[in-house]
Amino acid sequence: MKKIILGLLLSLTTLQIFPQIPSFDSDSTQAIYFSLDDCLQYAFGNSFSRKNMLLNESVREEVYKQSKLERLPNLSASLNENWNHGENTGSSLNGNYGISTGVTLYQGGSITNTIEENKLLMEQTQLQTQQYENGLVINILESFLTVLGNEELLKYQQTVLEASQEQVQQGKAQFAAGLILESDYLMLEAQYASDQTNIVDTEIARDNNLLTLKSLLSMDPEVNLRIIYPDTTSIDQMILIPTRQVVIERSVQTLPDLKISQYDVDIANVGIKIARSSYFPTISLTGSVNTGHNQNFKQFGSQIRDNLAEQIGLSVSIPIWDKGRTKLQTVQSKIALQQAEYNQQQNDIEIRQQVTQQYQNVISALNQYNTNDIKQKAYAKTFDVYRALFNAGSITAVDLLQQQNNYISAMTDYIQSKYSFMLRRKILDVYMGVNVTM
């Protein structure tokens, strides 16, 4: 019954925190459109890895609850009935019944410190879940933005393909009229075929990245998932970047990584106390009530009453020599504390370095994006001018295709730098504990 109630409470909590997204029929060809928010919500509600993390939290919570019960007395009952038979004495029945209890009054602080240790472990497990969630958000961001980049690249490539098709038709007419050489016309056809291949390759890359995204969401790979393009003003908002010092301070306060290492230090400190508790005596209080009967069931009630006996006792167990086990455990616990402290200091340095590098990468990505934005606009206009010149017969196919390839290269660099900046900028938000939206 306790498990059923706990399961219902967990279900209600999940319903409140993560609104249920309709289940999908993997055989359906109808497209399902997800924004980034939809992806994150679905992943948090359905990711099998995250569910395992939550189960780890539940286990730690139950261990913590049980450790608190160690303060309470135990209680047990015993009952036995024996049938005896002898040639001279005949048959007889006798029985004994009893209830006993015991409670530890003092154990060198072992119970108190074990409770504290389990509490720290429970809280640390919650932080580890948060750490996993941050990684999941970053991975989803990467896949989502990569798919967006593929989709945007496809739009440009479709435009280029249409231009290539017009160029082939124009070249065919010019070749028939003797205005260009056959080699120029064949080059136009080759470029058209190359542009078609580029589209196929980008579509395959998009579909593969969609598979990766569905895997992160724990979604059936056969689901026809499509993504919703975010508001075009979102990148303008991303350009507003806090100062490096602000980013570092917020990240240090928010990231669970440093908190996890601090918990390792706290747990190691408690571990020393638990190890030392074996040096102290254990004081226990016990009590029992016993009775029984012998042979005559007709006098069962009076026998039970007459044989009733109560007992209460106080026991003290004093450790004198345990072959150095407690000393060894204490030394090992002290070493574990030193290791935890070193790891914490190292983690602090590495996290600050990681955040600083990420911040610098964001600035670099923004500069690259701005540069490539200017380049692709310039090459787009140049390509339009060269197309008009080629259609007028003023330049050769070689001149046209050179500008077209320049435009394709600039366009590809622009899209890559755009989504690279968006990804790095959003990762910065994850570090600072900012809600990731787009």
Side-chain angles (χ1 to χ4, degrees), residues 66-82:
Q66 190 281 326
S67 63
K68 291 194 291 184
L69 297 178
E70 291 295 326
R71 295 185 185 277
L72 304 178
N74 58 43
L75 183 66
S76 61
S78 63
L79 181 151
N80 67 76
E81 287 284 346
N82 299 300

Side-chain angles (χ1 to χ4, degrees), residues 43 63 193 206 218 232 262 283 312 356 364:
V63 171
R206 176 201 60 193
S218 295
T232 54
Q262 177 60 53
I283 303 175
I312 186 171
T356 300
S364 176

Side-chain angles (χ1 to χ4, degrees), residues 262-402:
Q262 177 60 53
Y263 268 92
D264 286 334
V265 174
D266 296 339
I267 291 168
N269 266 312
V270 176
I272 294 176
K273 297 177 183 179
I274 293 175
R276 285 176 173 169
S277 66
S278 297
Y279 284 125
F280 298 91
T282 300
I283 303 175
S284 302
L285 180 66
T286 61
S288 64
V289 177
N290 297 284
T291 188
H293 73 92
N294 186 24
Q295 293 187 350
N296 191 349
F297 269 104
K298 294 181 180 179
Q299 299 176 355
F300 179 81
S302 61
Q303 289 188 61
I304 292 296
R305 182 175 59 256
D306 294 340
N307 292 331
L308 186 65
E310 300 88 9
Q311 178 267 333
I312 186 171
L314 183 70
S315 65
V316 180
S317 174
I318 303 174
I320 298 176
W321 170 242
D322 64 353
K323 302 179 182 180
R325 295 190 186 94
T326 300
K327 180 181 179 181
L328 174 62
Q329 291 174 354
T330 303
V331 170
Q332 289 175 329
S333 298
K334 289 180 178 179
I335 293 174
L337 173 60
Q338 289 179 328
Q339 291 174 328
E341 290 173 341
Y342 292 149
N343 289 335
Q344 181 195 30
Q345 294 168 8
Q346 184 63 37
N347 286 340
D348 182 77
I349 293 173
E350 291 177 354
I351 289 174
R352 290 177 184 274
Q353 180 182 2
Q354 179 183 353
V355 174
T356 300
Q357 289 176 341
Q358 183 63 34
Y359 182 86
Q360 293 171 342
N361 289 338
V362 170
I363 300 300
S364 176
L366 176 58
N367 291 333
Q368 192 66 46
Y369 163 68
N370 289 331
T371 300
N372 288 332
D373 187 24
I374 295 172
K375 280 180 60 178
Q376 67 91 14
K377 289 177 181 177
Y379 277 109
K381 291 182 179 180
T382 303
F383 178 46
D384 288 339
V385 171
Y386 271 69
R387 285 178 60 195
L389 291 174
F390 175 76
N391 292 336
S394 301
I395 60 172
T396 65
V398 175
D399 296 327
L400 172 65
L401 295 181
Q402 182 179 356

Side-chain angles (χ1 to χ4, degrees), residues 116-244:
E116 179 63 19
E117 181 184 51
N118 287 326
K119 180 176 181 290
L120 292 172
L121 287 168
M122 178 186 69
E123 293 171 350
Q124 187 185 51
T125 303
Q126 294 169 350
L127 286 172
Q128 289 169 344
T129 301
Q130 183 182 343
Q131 185 184 47
Y132 168 79
E133 289 171 351
N134 285 348
L136 179 62
V137 170
I138 290 173
N139 289 333
I140 290 175
L141 267 172
E142 184 175 6
S143 293
F144 185 88
L145 290 174
T146 302
V147 174
L148 277 182
N150 295 145
E151 293 284 5
E152 186 166 341
L153 183 59
L154 276 173
K155 294 178 182 178
Y156 281 101
Q157 288 176 337
Q158 289 286 357
T159 302
V160 171
L161 181 65
E162 292 173 3
S164 292
Q165 187 176 20
E166 293 177 4
Q167 289 159 192
V168 169
Q169 294 172 351
Q170 185 69 22
K172 183 177 181 180
Q174 291 180 350
F175 172 62
L179 299 177
I180 63 173
L181 298 175
E182 183 180 14
S183 58
D184 287 345
Y185 172 64
L186 293 177
M187 287 177 63
L188 293 172
E189 283 193 328
Q191 182 64 47
Y192 179 63
S194 177
D195 293 338
Q196 288 178 313
T197 300
N198 289 339
I199 288 179
V200 173
D201 290 343
T202 303
E203 287 175 341
I204 292 174
R206 176 201 60 193
D207 293 342
N208 286 337
N209 286 310
L210 277 171
L211 283 173
T212 301
L213 180 59
K214 284 186 276 189
S215 177
L216 292 169
L217 304 182
S218 295
M219 181 183 289
D220 192 310
E222 297 302 318
V223 171
N224 186 12
L225 176 65
R226 291 291 179 264
I227 60 176
I228 299 173
Y229 204 90
D231 187 354
T232 54
T233 61
S234 59
I235 194 168
D236 297 328
Q237 298 171 356
M238 294 182 202
I239 294 175
L240 302 175
I241 305 173
T243 64
R244 182 174 65 181

